[in-house]
Amino acid sequence: MGGVHATARIEARADGRGGTALPVLASDGPLALRRTRGTAAEARVVLVGAMSGPLGGDRFAVEADVGGGARLRVGSAAATIALPGQTKDDARYEVRLTVADDGELDWLPEPLISAKGSDLSVVTRVDLGAGARLVLREEQVLGRVGEEPGLLRSRLVARIAGRVVLDQELACGPGAPGGWDGPAVLAGQRAIGQLVLARPEFAERPAEARILAEHACVMPLAGPAALVTAVAPDGLRLRRVLDEALAELDIR
Amino acid sequence: MHLDHFPHGPAAVGADARRPDGSRRALRIGLGGPVGSGKTATVAALCRALRDRLSLAVVTNDIYTREDAEFLLREAVLPPERITAVETGACPHTAIRDDISANLEAVEDLEDEVGPLDLILVESGGDNLTATFSKGLVDAQIFVIDVAGGDDIPRKGGPGVTTADLLVVNKTDLAPHVGSDLARMAADAKAQRAELPVVFQSLRSEHGVADVAAWVRARLAAWTA
Amino acid sequence: MTRTALLVLADGRFPAGGHAHSGGAEAAVKAGRITGAQSLEAFCRGRLHTAGLVAAALAAAAAGGVDPAGLDAAADARTPSPALRATARRLGRQLMRAARATWPSDELDAVARQFPKGAHQPVVLGLTARAAGLGPADAAYCAVYESVSGPATAVVRLLSLDPFEATAVLARLAPELDRVADRAVTSASAVPAEGLDVLPAASAPLLEIGAEVHAAWPVRLFAS
C-alpha cells in the first residue's frame, strides 16, 4: 500500500471578545493551512495544496470544528486535481465539518477536477447543531479542458441536530454505473456543483423552490436547509450560476 | 324537457359510504363524455344552480394540467379551495376507471379540508365514447354528448351512452345549424338505454341546466334518505 | 412467498397511480434529451442506477422489517427535490390504498395512520410486498422495474415511440436490473447491523433539476 496519508485540522472558537480564535490550525504533509486576514468576527483560512494530488493510494482528510459563537471561512488557493497514481488503489478525500449551535462556517473551496485515469472517492460529512449556520460549496469538473474524466465518486451527508437532511452520492466517469452521462444524470455536462445552506430561520420560513438557470435550481430540503444543484458545460459557467445563487440566497 | 324518470336510490355505492369519523360522505357524481361536448360548462352551470343550497366541490381530470380547473376558477363558480385538479398522464379514462387512486385521494382531501360536503362532482377529461367511471369512485355518472358531435352518436352506443345513469345531449340550440335530428337522437337513445333517463339541454336557453340539476337533487335526496 | 403475488404487485395495471407519472421522462423529452429508443435506454439506465437503486434498497429494507419511519426520513434525505418528495408521498399514499384493499394487514393500517398524507412510495412498496407474503428481493425487483417501466411507458405516449421498441429497451436492461436489485438487497440487509447510512444515496442531478422545472410548467401531460 502506497500513497500519502494526511489529515489537516482546524478548530475555531469564540474568543470572548466578539472575534474568532483558531486554537488548532494543524497542517499535515501536502495539506497546508494558512490563516489569512479575516474580519472582526470571522477567522479566515486558506487550504494550500502543496502537491497537485490526491493520487491513487492517497488518503487525505480535512477537519474543521466550529464552536458556538465562532465564525470561520475556509477557501482553497487553487483547484484540487485528482490524478492517477503509481498504485491501482483509489484515492480518498474526506472532509469532516462540525458546527456547534450558533457557530457559522463558510466552506468555499475551489473545484475538484477529475483528470483522466484518476480514481477518487470524496466524502463530505457535515454535522450541524440546531442553530448552526453553514454555506458549503462543492464543485466537480470532469476532466481538464478537452480531457476525458477519471472515475469520481462523491458522497455528501449533512446532519442537523443529529437528523440527516441530505444524503447524496454521485458517481461519474469510466467505471461508474451505466447512464451517468446519459439524459437522466449529466447528459454531457462536465461540471456539477452544489451549495448547501443551513440556516435556523429556514425552520420557520423554508427557502423557496426556484429555477435559477436551465440546469440549476434551489430546493428546500426536509429540514432547515436548502440545496442548490447545478450542472454546466464547464467550471467557469458553473461558478457563475453558483455565485449568483449564493448572492441571492445568502442574505445575512 | 325530456327527463324520463328518477331512479330510486343510488345505483352503485363505490367506496365506503361512511367517512373514517362515521359521518356520511358526500355523494359523488361523475361527468364524462367526448372532448368539447360541454362537460365543464355543465359543471359550471350545476355549481351556479346548486351552490346556494348545497355544500359542493369539484374534481377535474385534465388531459393537460389544470385547464378545466382553471376555467372553473376563472368563472368563479366556487371558491378555489373547492376545486381540485387531478393529473392523468395523458390517459383520462385510466384515472376515472382503471386506477382511481388519485381521484379518491382528491375527493377525500376535499371532504377533509373544506367539508362537510353534500356533493362532489368529478369531471372526466374529454375522452372517447367508451370512457366510464368506476363504481369505486362515483355513485352515479352523467355522460355528456352534444348535437354537433354527430346525431348518430346515440345510435352508435358505447358504454358511456348506454350505461350512464343520465345521458345529456347538449347544445340543442345548435341542432338546426349542424343538421342534427333531435327526434332521431332521442329515439336512438331510448333504444340504447331503455328506461335510463336522457336530458336534452341548451345552456344558452333560459331553462339551462335545470333538468340536470333536478336529477342531481333527486340523487342526493335518495343518498341522504 | 407466492410468485403470483409478485406478478400482481409488479403489474403495470396495479391501481396505485403510476400511470399519471413519467419518472422524469416528460421533462427530458421536452428538453430534447430523449428523442427515441436509444436515448430512452440511456435515460432508463441512468435512472435505474440512481433513483432506482435507492428506491429498491428502501423497498427491500421495508420488506425486511426495518422501521418505516426511519426509512421514510432516509428517503427524504435522499430526495432533495421538493417536487420529487411530494410525488413520492402522493404515490406512496395511493399505493397504500391499493395495498390495504388487496392485502389487508395490521401493519399497513398502522403505517397508513402514521402517515396520513403518505410515506415515500418505495417504503410503502416494501411494506406492501411484506403484506403480500413477499420478501426483500421481490420488493427490490418491483422497485427497479418500476424505475424504468414508468419512463418507457410515458415515452411511448409522449413521442409516439413504437411500443415494441420501448419494450425491447426494458428487455435489454434486464441483466442490469438484476444486478441493481441484488445490490439493493445487500445494502438493505446490512441496515439492522450498520444503520440507515448504509443505504445507497445515488443521485441524478438532471432528474432532480428536471423535476423542479417540470413542476413549474403550467401545462403538462404527466404529474411528474
Side-chain angles (χ1 to χ4, degrees):
Chain A
M1 81 162 241
V4 179
H5 291 223
T7 299
R9 181 168 172 83
I10 311 167
E11 275 179 27
R13 295 289 179 265
D15 65 5
R17 303 184 301 276
T20 298
L22 298 178
V24 176
L25 188 68
S27 304
D28 188 8
L31 301 170
L33 299 169
R34 302 274 179 271
R35 183 165 189 168
T36 62
R37 182 190 296 271
T39 66
E42 180 186 77
R44 291 191 180 175
V45 171
V46 172
L47 178 64
V48 184
M51 286 160 49
S52 56
L55 311 177
D58 287 353
R59 300 284 179 271
F60 289 178
V62 181
E63 299 174 348
D65 179 331
V66 180
R71 284 178 59 181
L72 175 66
R73 181 187 176 101
V74 180
S76 62
T80 302
I81 304 178
L83 294 164
Q86 304 291 335
T87 70
K88 271 195 234 150
D89 283 352
D90 64 344
R92 294 197 199 152
Y93 201 131
E94 258 196 65
V95 176
R96 296 185 283 266
L97 308 175
T98 311
V99 187
D101 234 3
D102 198 32
E104 183 165 345
L105 173 64
D106 287 0
W107 185 263
L108 301 165
E110 294 305 301
L112 171 65
I113 301 171
S114 166
K116 184 179 176 182
S118 65
D119 178 356
L120 174 67
S121 295
V122 192
V123 178
T124 304
R125 293 188 187 277
V126 186
D127 265 294
L128 305 174
R133 302 166 76 82
L134 171 82
V135 177
L136 177 146
R137 181 176 67 211
E138 264 197 4
E139 293 164 305
Q140 295 159 350
V141 179
L142 305 183
R144 289 167 292 198
V145 179
E147 179 191 51
E148 78 173 81
L151 173 57
L152 178 61
R153 282 177 280 223
S154 62
R155 185 164 195 172
L156 171 58
V157 184
R159 282 182 168 74
I160 299 179
R163 190 170 145 244
V164 182
V165 296
L166 177 67
D167 191 341
Q168 270 204 309
E169 290 173 301
L170 185 66
C172 33
W180 67 269
D181 202 20
V185 188
L186 291 181
Q189 307 282 334
R190 281 294 169 266
I192 311 120
Q194 304 203 298
L195 286 171
V196 181
L197 282 97
R199 297 261 169 283
E201 302 91 273
F202 285 153
E204 296 289 315
R205 251 175 31 121
E208 244 173 82
R210 216 153 45 75
I211 310 302
L212 299 167
E214 192 192 354
H215 297 308
C217 60
V218 187
M219 300 179 286
L221 299 175
L227 178 72
V228 175
T229 289
V231 296
D234 57 57
L236 276 178
R237 274 179 273 194
L238 176 69
R239 176 61 67 86
R240 205 176 304 145
V241 172
L242 292 183
D243 279 351
E244 283 170 18
L246 191 55
E248 208 172 305
L249 283 167
D250 194 29
I251 300 154
R252 299 174 201 215
Chain B
M1 251 161 93
H2 302 271
L3 198 57
D4 291 323
H5 76 290
F6 295 122
H8 302 289
V13 180
D16 207 333
R18 300 272 161 193
R19 302 179 59 212
D21 64 8
S23 61
R24 183 194 299 276
R25 67 163 169 81
L27 176 71
R28 300 170 190 159
I29 293 183
L31 287 98
V35 177
S37 61
K39 292 182 297 298
T40 309
T42 301
V43 167
L46 276 175
C47 289
R48 291 191 192 98
L50 300 172
R51 66 190 175 193
D52 293 338
R53 296 172 66 184
L54 297 176
S55 173
L56 71 159
V58 174
V59 176
T60 63
N61 281 261
D62 290 306
I63 302 179
Y64 297 104
T65 308
R66 298 191 60 84
E67 281 188 346
D68 291 341
E70 302 286 346
F71 173 84
L72 296 173
L73 289 168
R74 260 197 321 277
E75 295 286 301
V77 296
L78 289 178
E81 66 275 13
R82 288 175 179 259
I83 301 170
T84 295
V86 166
E87 291 166 283
T88 61
C91 274
H93 57 271
T94 305
I96 60 162
R97 187 183 57 202
D98 309 87
D99 182 349
I100 57 177
S101 54
N103 269 294
L104 284 172
E105 236 94 90
V107 297
E108 289 177 5
D109 281 351
L110 280 168
E111 292 212 71
D112 286 347
E113 284 153 27
V114 302
L117 293 170
D118 302 309
L119 172 68
I120 299 176
L121 300 173
V122 183
E123 184 193 340
S124 156
D127 210 312
N128 54 39
L129 296 173
T130 65
T132 49
F133 284 84
S134 163
K135 291 174 181 178
L137 176 60
V138 300
D139 304 298
Q141 51 192 307
I142 301 173
F143 201 73
V144 183
I145 61 173
D146 72 330
V147 300
D151 61 6
D152 55 348
I153 288 180
R155 182 178 56 75
K156 286 180 178 168
V161 166
T162 313
T163 65
D165 298 288
L166 177 67
L167 177 68
V168 175
V169 181
N170 201 18
K171 307 185 192 175
T172 51
D173 53 311
L174 295 182
H177 307 291
V178 297
S180 284
D181 181 343
L182 293 180
R184 182 182 150 197
M185 291 181 89
D188 288 344
K190 177 82 186 162
Q192 291 280 0
R193 295 172 53 77
E195 295 307 308
L196 288 169
V198 181
V199 164
F200 283 74
Q201 83 173 6
S202 163
L203 293 174
R204 291 179 178 187
S205 76
E206 208 173 296
H207 200 64
V209 81
D211 288 340
V212 178
W215 181 86
V216 169
R217 278 196 207 94
R219 298 302 296 228
L220 192 59
W223 175 250
T224 50
Chain C
M1 89 117 193
T2 136
R3 193 173 285 176
T4 307
L6 177 59
L7 294 177
V8 173
L9 179 56
D11 192 332
R13 287 165 294 187
F14 191 76
H19 71 95
H21 296 262
S22 79
E26 185 171 25
V29 165
K30 176 88 174 289
R33 296 197 296 270
I34 300 178
T35 54
Q38 205 182 346
S39 42
L40 169 64
E41 183 169 338
F43 179 90
C44 287
R45 182 170 282 117
R47 189 163 196 259
L48 166 67
H49 288 288
T50 55
L53 170 66
V54 173
L58 290 164
V66 176
D67 168 44
L71 290 172
D72 190 72
D76 259 351
R78 284 160 177 75
T79 318
S81 155
L84 288 181
R85 287 200 298 275
T87 295
R89 290 192 183 284
R90 198 176 312 141
L91 285 173
R93 186 176 164 199
Q94 289 176 244
L95 174 57
M96 179 60 89
R97 177 190 298 277
R100 290 171 73 198
T102 312
W103 293 288
S105 109
D106 292 343
E107 193 174 50
L108 287 176
D109 292 349
V111 176
R113 275 194 301 274
Q114 196 179 354
F115 295 93
K117 293 289 175 191
H120 277 259
Q121 193 268 1
V123 180
V124 181
L125 179 60
L127 294 166
T128 304
R130 214 170 140 76
L134 298 165
D138 303 308
Y141 266 94
C142 286
V144 292
Y145 186 65
E146 266 178 17
S147 78
V148 294
S149 62
T153 310
V155 170
V156 168
R157 294 187 212 159
L158 288 162
L159 289 178
S160 302
L161 181 70
D162 180 340
F164 300 119
E165 282 193 63
T167 307
V169 164
L170 297 179
R172 279 198 295 277
L173 288 169
E176 276 180 76
L177 264 71
D178 289 345
R179 285 198 295 276
V180 173
D182 260 4
R183 217 188 124 190
V185 171
T186 306
S187 322
S189 64
V191 169
E194 295 174 51
L196 294 165
D197 279 5
V198 81
L199 290 171
S203 66
L206 287 177
L207 283 182
E208 300 279 341
I209 296 166
E212 292 300 309
V213 170
H214 185 268
W217 294 354
V219 171
R220 57 188 182 230
L221 277 177
F222 288 87
S224 78

